[in-house]
Amino acid sequence: MTVRALPTLDWDALTAEAARHLQALLRCDTINPPGNEYLAAAYLREQLLAEGIEPQLIEPAPGRVSLYARLPGTGAQRPLLLVSHTDVVPVERARWSADPFGGEIRDGFIYGRGAVDMKDMLALELTLFLHFARQARTTGQRLSRDLVLLAVADEEDGGALGMGWIVANMPDLLDAEYALNEGGGMGVELGGQRIYLCEMAQKGSIRVTLRAQGLPGHASIPHGNQAVAHLARAISRLTAGPLPMHVIPTVRRFITILADTQPRAQRAVLRQTLNPLLSEAVLARLPDPNLANALRALLHNTATPTLLRAGTALNVIPSEATVQVDCRIIPGTTPASLTAELRQRIPDPAIAIEAEPHSPGYEMQRTPLFDAIQHAIAQQEPRAVVAPYLFPAVSDSRYLAPRGITAYGFVPHQPEPGVPPVQSLAHGHDERISIANLTFGVRVLHDVIATLDKL
Ligand SMILES: [Zn+2]
């Protein structure tokens, strides 16, 4: 078998193109709410039309525009979706050193809300979509599968006017074998070893309300059946330690790979985090509390109390007090099984536990898309490792998973000294991405698409 080498591409030109797209997209104020994603969609449409590609605009509500464009392949294989969202979260302008909607380049970084979540990925996907379109036009060389550029609205506010709407109303657009989306792709450093996280599973979420009932009364004569006190004790018990452990195959592989990259002593310690009898003791002793918290979230359902409500007047003992609890569940957990775990922790009959399912979570199989990602990373960083990863939050991929689409989260991003990790830049102040990371991204994603085409 002869393997044809990939043509050498002008990476500098592709990087410059991605940077130009990213700057233009960052200049679109698509804070959601209200969204105004039509601004980003209009830019994308203009770029596609200039190359002779007519995209489809989807506008379920005024201004809430998603964009869909298709580059036909030979049809030998089923399509690959390049997914992104065009909306962003709000900013605290006073805390930024740059205009969050200026697209400014400073010291090798592009600044703006969305620079890593996720207009960077959109700029990379647009650049490569156009690259493969030009390649088809000039050489007649087509990919074996259609490439679909899908830039949706409303991800940051739940997706009802973006991916959720498309799934419910235009599901045929999503006929695909694979999707690349956000949720992973970041490189992390552990003991000098670099590991790239490939999101192949996603936690679900359930919104829980704890409702405490007690007796009312005058605050000047306190009694022993106060709703607020019931609730306080419940919150205290809930946050005293993790819920029961659930290890899914993706997390077992992730932690095993992580451990295997480490020297013997650390390897043994990390592997013990998978042992239900020792896990918590080991996590509690890890020198890096951030790593411990991150690993703990992969091994347990989490229940984080956030919104509290009680009382109408200072001198009235309220008869009801509630807390909303943000629960993130390991795939396989049901509202009933989560409620049972919470009830075990909070036996107080004065507390009602109300669970409202939101997303069940999912776990994907290893497929040739993983091999393509591994190959692409090896080309750039032969010593780095790619590990399957459970994303502890939700993304639009939760709409794709039930449709049988293999959706991985992989936005290639190298860690850089002196720069906060991408996980804290997203939704943070001075969100930015280096030009060097755009080069890395365009090279890796190009290789993923080209390699997948041969598998
Ligand atoms: Zn995002």
Side-chain angles (χ1 to χ4, degrees), residues 85 117-118 155-156 182 427:
H85 62 83
D117 182 15
M118 59 175 296
E155 190 276 341
E156 297 287 5
E182 63 181 343
H427 296 208

Side-chain angles (χ1 to χ4, degrees), residues 16 30 64 203 218 229 239 257 312 330 353 355 367 397 423 425:
T30 51
R64 311 306 302 272
K203 278 183 118 174
H218 197 290
T239 53
I257 290 172
T312 51
I330 302 287
I353 300 172
T367 65
S397 292
Q423 303 92 302
L425 282 174

Side-chain angles (χ1 to χ4, degrees), residues 211-235:
R211 192 177 302 280
Q213 306 284 350
L215 290 176
H218 197 290
S220 64
I221 308 176
H223 56 69
N225 188 9
Q226 298 182 39
V228 168
H230 284 292
L231 192 68
R233 284 191 291 270
I235 292 172

Side-chain angles (χ1 to χ4, degrees), residues 179-449:
L180 280 169
N181 192 10
E182 63 181 343
M186 51 287 200
V188 295
E189 305 269 2
L190 188 65
Q193 175 69 48
R194 187 168 293 177
I195 301 127
Y196 282 91
L197 310 182
C198 178
E199 182 223 43
M200 293 168 67
Q202 198 167 96
K203 278 183 118 174
S205 74
I206 295 181
R207 292 159 181 185
V208 168
T209 302
L210 301 182
R211 192 177 302 280
Q213 306 284 350
L215 290 176
H218 197 290
S220 64
I221 308 176
H223 56 69
N225 188 9
Q226 298 182 39
V228 168
H230 284 292
L231 192 68
R233 284 191 291 270
I235 292 172
S236 173
R237 290 184 64 101
L238 188 64
T239 53
L243 294 169
M245 189 165 153
H246 304 277
V247 184
I248 59 169
T250 298
V251 171
R252 186 173 296 282
R253 282 202 300 277
F254 171 64
I255 291 182
T256 306
I257 290 172
L258 211 65
D260 287 349
T261 62
Q262 302 300 303
R264 186 185 294 266
Q266 286 91 323
R267 184 182 314 164
V269 168
L270 276 175
R271 278 177 174 267
Q272 288 305 332
T273 62
L274 292 165
N275 178 341
L277 296 175
L278 294 176
S279 182
E280 192 46 38
V282 169
L283 288 174
R285 282 197 194 88
L286 285 186
D288 178 357
N290 294 327
L291 177 64
N293 291 338
L295 292 177
R296 195 178 283 115
L298 304 183
L299 294 164
H300 304 268
N301 295 322
T302 58
T304 311
T306 53
L307 301 170
L308 287 135
R309 184 167 299 153
T312 51
L314 178 63
N315 61 352
V316 177
I317 298 175
S319 63
E320 183 174 289
T322 61
V323 60
Q324 282 172 268
V325 186
D326 181 314
C327 294
R328 306 300 174 121
I329 54 168
I330 302 287
T333 303
T334 64
S337 68
L338 176 71
T339 303
E341 288 184 8
L342 297 176
R343 182 49 84 193
Q344 180 82 24
R345 186 61 66 82
I346 307 167
D348 184 351
I351 305 280
I353 300 172
E354 301 161 7
E356 184 196 329
H358 181 63
S359 163
Y362 62 81
E363 187 170 29
M364 300 276 172
Q365 298 300 311
R366 179 174 174 153
T367 65
L369 182 54
F370 184 86
D371 301 331
I373 287 171
Q374 218 168 25
H375 179 270
I377 289 294
Q379 298 303 302
Q380 303 305 318
E381 288 189 41
R383 292 196 59 249
V385 170
V386 181
Y389 178 62
L390 168 67
F391 184 50
V394 298
S395 78
D396 274 343
S397 292
R398 73 185 188 278
Y399 292 110
L400 304 176
R403 301 195 54 79
I405 299 170
T406 296
Y408 290 171
F410 203 84
V411 181
H413 198 103
Q414 281 175 321
E416 292 165 314
V419 184
V422 64
Q423 303 92 302
S424 51
L425 282 174
H427 296 208
H429 311 312
D430 274 346
E431 188 176 345
R432 60 195 182 276
I433 187 169
S434 67
I435 303 286
N437 249 315
L438 285 182
T439 303
F440 180 68
V442 84
R443 279 174 173 261
V444 169
L445 283 182
H446 174 272
D447 205 7
V448 169
I449 297 168

